[in-house]
Amino acid sequence: MIRIGDVALPDFPLLLAPMEDVSDPPFRRLCKQHGADLMYSEFISSEGLIRDAMKSKQKLDIFDYERPVGIQIFGGDEEAMALSAKIVATVNPDIVDINFGCPVKKVVCKGAGAGVLKDIDLMVRLTKAVVESTTLPVTVKTRLGWDDNSINIDEVAERLQDVGIKALTIHGRTRAQMYKGEADWEPIARVKNNPRITMPIFGNGDIDSPEKALEYKNKYGLDGIMIGRAAIGYPWIFNEIKHYFATGEHLPAPTIEDRVEAARNHLTWAMDWKGERLGVVETRRHYTNYFKGIPHFKEYRQRMVTKDDPADVFAALDEVLDKFSVQV
């Protein structure tokens, strides 16, 4: 069993990565349903929380069926991070996570996310401020370093553990790489094998199949894996990996019925949570992935991503079921 403070997880848990505009409650609910062991919210601006910004506040929504669940915050100011951690605690998540890994320019330019990788002392101060402002376990997600000439994850891991974080997730790329090239898990394994490190170390980057998950589990000896982009439109990946770990065999691929059910549920839950208009619009980005690999699907996808009336989208899904259920 893996422990993050008082949070108990199974051996070698599978984590859902916090992804902006993706890891909202409807998406998390699907991933939980299909085997995710620990999930994180979309990242939330500490400044936005303090200003009471509506979008930031909405990201604090969590539900009991998701647990254990963490809320992720980011920012570059110690006082703001400490105060936002106190605000986060009011909704009673299981974990507070700090984002020191987001490579997006609008975040980095504010001295937050991966922008903090240039200043380890600041990273430590920000982390310490959060740890000291909450009784919840604090975790961190970060990258190897700013670029290939400044891979500092070994020092970062030790110093963040020293100020009290309870787990560390490392994405095996630098900020300069963004999401290009291949993730390097060797430095992550080096952190795990450091005798000074006692907290769980999770790896992130490029896990997109049960085979790769098992290969990396055996090769790098980490405490668990965080999965991001491979889960978008494909929440089945978590149970597929678990089944492969247990049996060495693949679960059957999701049927057209499974895919339609997931898309229907996603749209329904999105409308329940954020209202009909936003629910319809913000679920559109997922349909291509739900139905990836199905030939002659363009006409239906086009309808799903252009129709504003949910009844029209559900009708398109019904037609997909009728047309493709025999073929897939």
Side-chain angles (χ1 to χ4, degrees):
M1 184 176 287
I2 300 293
R3 299 197 76 88
I4 301 175
D6 294 331
V7 177
L9 298 171
D11 284 340
F12 207 81
L14 303 179
L15 287 60
L16 173 66
M19 293 178 281
E20 175 72 353
D21 295 329
V22 175
S23 301
D24 59 12
F27 180 73
R28 297 198 304 262
R29 185 173 180 178
L30 278 164
C31 291
K32 183 70 174 183
Q33 194 178 70
H34 292 286
D37 295 306
L38 172 62
M39 302 182 295
Y40 289 95
S41 70
E42 302 172 74
F43 65 26
I44 304 173
S45 162
S46 57
E47 303 284 353
L49 275 183
I50 293 166
R51 289 196 314 270
D52 205 26
M54 188 178 295
K55 187 171 184 183
S56 294
K57 293 286 277 188
Q58 189 184 33
K59 290 179 182 178
L60 290 176
D61 287 352
I62 55 173
F63 300 91
D64 282 341
Y65 56 73
E66 300 183 75
R67 294 189 184 278
V69 61
I71 289 179
Q72 189 186 73
I73 56 176
F74 74 95
D77 178 82
E78 294 164 58
E79 189 176 342
M81 288 290 279
L83 183 52
S84 66
K86 290 180 184 293
I87 296 170
V88 164
T90 64
V91 301
N92 196 31
D94 300 286
I95 290 168
V96 178
D97 188 68
I98 306 172
N99 181 312
F100 290 138
C102 178
V104 176
K105 188 175 180 181
K106 68 178 181 180
V107 173
V108 170
C109 286
K110 295 176 181 175
V116 185
L117 290 166
K118 291 179 174 179
D119 188 342
I120 300 179
D121 290 341
L122 174 59
M123 185 187 288
V124 171
R125 292 198 306 272
L126 291 167
T127 304
K128 189 170 188 282
V130 171
V131 169
E132 292 180 350
S133 70
T134 184
T135 58
L136 293 166
V138 176
T139 60
V140 164
K141 182 170 190 279
T142 190
R143 289 183 170 232
L144 301 178
W146 179 258
D147 57 26
D148 286 342
N149 298 317
S150 58
I151 292 178
N152 51 24
I153 192 62
D154 304 271
E155 179 185 353
V156 164
E158 290 188 3
R159 294 184 64 183
L160 296 188
Q161 179 177 270
D162 288 346
V163 295
I165 71 167
K166 302 302 183 186
L168 178 65
T169 299
I170 305 168
H171 182 112
R173 289 182 174 87
T174 63
R175 191 272 168 174
Q177 282 181 272
M178 301 293 285
Y179 294 100
K180 296 174 183 173
E182 189 173 338
D184 182 3
W185 284 50
E186 292 290 349
I188 312 176
R190 193 170 65 233
V191 170
K192 173 61 187 172
N193 291 324
N194 180 346
R196 276 206 60 206
I197 298 297
T198 57
M199 62 183 170
I201 302 295
F202 304 117
N204 174 227
D206 296 348
I207 299 298
D208 57 8
S209 69
E211 291 91 343
K212 185 173 275 190
L214 183 60
E215 177 193 349
Y216 280 37
K217 176 180 186 283
N218 293 336
K219 185 174 181 179
Y220 297 110
L222 305 177
D223 294 294
I225 285 174
M226 180 177 278
I227 296 169
R229 289 172 292 169
I232 298 175
Y234 202 85
W236 303 279
I237 191 168
F238 297 98
N239 276 337
E240 287 183 357
I241 289 171
K242 289 180 175 181
H243 185 79
Y244 192 75
F245 283 178
T247 67
E249 298 176 354
H250 287 278
L251 281 173
T255 63
I256 197 69
E257 288 82 3
D258 296 329
R259 294 166 187 260
V260 168
E261 181 186 25
R264 269 197 196 122
N265 285 339
H266 200 152
L267 176 55
T268 300
W269 297 337
M271 291 192 298
D272 288 346
W273 179 58
K274 50 186 134 182
E276 182 177 296
R277 173 64 185 160
L278 271 180
V280 168
V281 171
E282 294 187 2
T283 308
R284 288 172 175 168
R285 65 174 66 94
H286 295 275
Y287 296 130
T288 296
N289 288 299
Y290 281 132
F291 299 101
K292 192 173 184 178
I294 295 178
H296 313 300
F297 192 77
K298 185 177 179 181
E299 171 199 339
Y300 299 96
R301 186 191 66 80
Q302 193 66 18
R303 284 166 57 189
M304 290 176 197
V305 301
T306 56
K307 296 296 184 182
D308 292 329
D309 186 336
D312 292 331
V313 182
F314 286 125
L317 287 168
D318 288 341
E319 288 184 38
V320 167
L321 197 57
D322 288 342
K323 180 175 177 63
F324 295 100
S325 58
V326 179
Q327 299 179 25
V328 177

